[in-house]
Amino acid sequence: MELPYSREYFYVGGQYADDGSGTGEHIFENQMYVERLEPVNFRKPHPIIFIHGQAQTGTNFLNKPDGNPGWASFFTSHGYTVYIVDQTFRGRSPWKPGNETLATVSAECIEKRFTAPEDFNLWPQAPLHTQWPGPGKRGDPIFDAFYASQVQSLANASYQQLNTQAAGVALLDRLGGQSVILLAHSQGGTMPWLIADKRPQQVHAIVALEPSGPPFQDAVFSTNPARAYGLTDAPLTYDPPVTDPAVELVKNVSFTQASEKVTCVLQASSPPPRRLVNLERIPVLLVTAEASYHASYDWCTVEYLQQAGVQTKHLYLPDAGIKGNGHMMFLEKNSDDVAQVVMDWIERKG
């Protein structure tokens, strides 16, 4: 049951810029939309900032495509003020025409990776997927509702990260020193590392739902180089400092014997691994679903974080008795079960 809450929206970050018309007139660019939901009767001390993934918007967390309440309702009903963002250049955060290249994701790709992976078997865990409400394919009303919510995204990962980082920092500054929980999904999972790197004293905890990974290269669908700073494409603060990650982050390939997993690139043991000094005091929960393609490699992201000095717990949902989920776990039939174990961990952190 949803409990009463107040609602407001605002924008953070951005600046005036020439509109490109040659007339000397201006537009506003790089701003980020924020929606704030605050429970009326009681409030927990640390608000949650929800950050969506690629091709998504903050609507991910308002309600589910089957019409049931989403995670915003779950957490406000338990006393949490929530801030739901649309990443810069996405959804209600305007994109300036000509500013980088936009990309879209096909309905077929969504079926294969998110909503019906059990029918395509593109990774070993895919047949375990059971929790999407309905067949997860075009023509089904729930799938169509979900796919209708997909939007274009910037193809330039580093540019997206830098601009959302700046806007995220502006949001924390607006909150006036209040300590927050950053909860992010997938491509949006790069943002907590970057925002916390700039404002570590304002981040109480990070919940990473299958964040972009693994370190340094893609997996499952390709092995292309990615995330030059290990967790991100944009710079992070290491000790000793890193100015040229290709040279200074010395890598070592770690192999696993488990057939359902992939090789993992970590920092080498010599020289001693560089530490993510601004993230070291922030507790991190990294959540992995049973049937997602992330089940093949999230373990590597966890090892990378721990190696860099970040206090990280890996929650593999089957270990909590929660089975059958895919990458969009917060939209699936048992999403409240997932939210509950996430909230239990948050509340143990005070």
Side-chain angles (χ1 to χ4, degrees):
M1 181 181 69
E2 293 199 64
L3 298 180
Y5 58 80
S6 62
R7 176 188 176 275
E8 68 166 335
Y9 80 89
F10 53 89
Y11 284 82
V12 294
Q15 62 280 322
Y16 284 101
D18 190 284
D19 70 356
S21 66
T23 63
E25 296 187 342
H26 293 80
I27 60 170
F28 211 74
E29 65 177 7
N30 299 343
Q31 68 269 43
M32 184 169 74
Y33 175 88
V34 183
E35 188 166 336
R36 175 177 172 268
L37 307 178
E38 182 172 83
V40 170
N41 296 321
F42 68 103
R43 290 186 292 277
K44 298 290 178 68
H46 304 290
I48 301 174
I49 298 175
F50 286 101
I51 307 173
H52 60 82
Q54 191 83 338
Q56 314 296 313
T57 69
T59 59
N60 271 174
F61 300 105
L62 288 172
N63 56 267
K64 302 193 294 184
D66 64 2
N68 285 308
W71 275 22
S73 296
F74 180 93
F75 282 96
T76 55
S77 295
H78 286 85
Y80 288 91
T81 297
V82 303
Y83 293 85
I84 304 169
V85 309
D86 285 356
Q87 288 185 46
T88 54
F89 321 119
R90 199 89 59 84
R92 289 161 290 189
S93 299
W95 171 74
K96 178 184 176 183
N99 187 9
E100 296 293 328
T101 301
L102 295 177
T104 57
V105 180
S106 72
E108 289 82 356
C109 182
I110 296 294
E111 291 173 358
K112 293 173 184 176
R113 298 188 183 190
F114 298 165
T115 60
E118 66 275 17
D119 291 336
F120 299 95
N121 294 333
L122 297 182
W123 57 91
Q125 300 88 346
L128 301 174
H129 186 240
T130 60
Q131 292 291 350
W132 184 262
K137 292 185 177 179
R138 287 164 292 157
D140 175 72
I142 295 172
F143 177 87
D144 293 346
F146 176 55
Y147 190 68
S149 73
Q150 308 299 288
V151 299
Q152 65 276 12
S153 304
L154 282 191
N156 186 328
S158 182
Y159 190 78
Q160 179 71 74
Q161 290 168 21
L162 287 169
N163 280 276
T164 302
Q165 178 190 43
V169 168
L171 173 56
L172 294 194
D173 290 347
R174 178 178 173 131
L175 297 182
Q178 190 172 19
S179 180
V180 305
I181 297 156
L182 299 176
L183 190 156
H185 174 244
S186 195
Q187 170 266 338
T190 60
M191 307 309 173
W193 321 131
L194 291 161
I195 295 168
D197 193 46
K198 294 294 186 182
R199 294 292 185 273
Q201 297 306 315
Q202 282 185 254
V203 178
H204 177 70
I206 292 172
V207 177
L209 306 175
E210 300 195 346
S212 287
F216 301 117
Q217 66 180 35
D218 290 331
V220 180
F221 307 112
S222 83
T223 56
N224 293 333
R227 295 170 292 281
Y229 285 83
L231 302 174
T232 61
D233 302 89
L236 286 169
T237 302
Y238 282 89
D239 183 26
V242 172
T243 55
D244 184 350
V247 173
E248 294 161 341
L249 289 174
V250 181
K251 303 174 186 66
N252 179 62
V253 177
S254 173
F255 292 93
T256 176
Q257 295 181 348
S259 61
E260 74 276 9
K261 297 181 180 179
V262 298
T263 57
C264 172
V265 181
L266 300 173
Q267 293 189 69
S269 58
S270 180
R274 284 170 158 79
R275 301 180 71 81
L276 289 162
V277 288
N278 289 345
L279 305 182
E280 284 186 326
R281 70 157 198 88
I282 302 170
V284 171
L285 179 69
L286 194 150
V287 183
T288 305
E290 179 181 41
S292 171
Y293 56 92
H294 274 254
S296 297
Y297 59 76
D298 272 356
W299 62 276
C300 181
T301 304
V302 171
E303 287 196 16
Y304 188 86
L305 284 159
Q306 293 171 341
Q307 185 188 48
V310 183
Q311 47 182 313
T312 306
K313 174 179 173 56
H314 189 194
L315 173 58
Y316 178 54
L317 289 177
D319 291 341
I322 300 172
K323 297 186 176 183
N325 290 100
H327 188 52
M328 308 303 292
M329 63 190 83
F330 51 87
L331 297 179
E332 297 194 304
K333 292 183 290 187
N334 62 347
S335 61
D336 281 1
D337 296 336
V338 182
Q340 184 66 56
V341 295
V342 168
M343 188 178 71
D344 290 345
W345 178 86
I346 289 171
E347 299 199 339
R348 287 195 295 271
K349 298 303 169 184

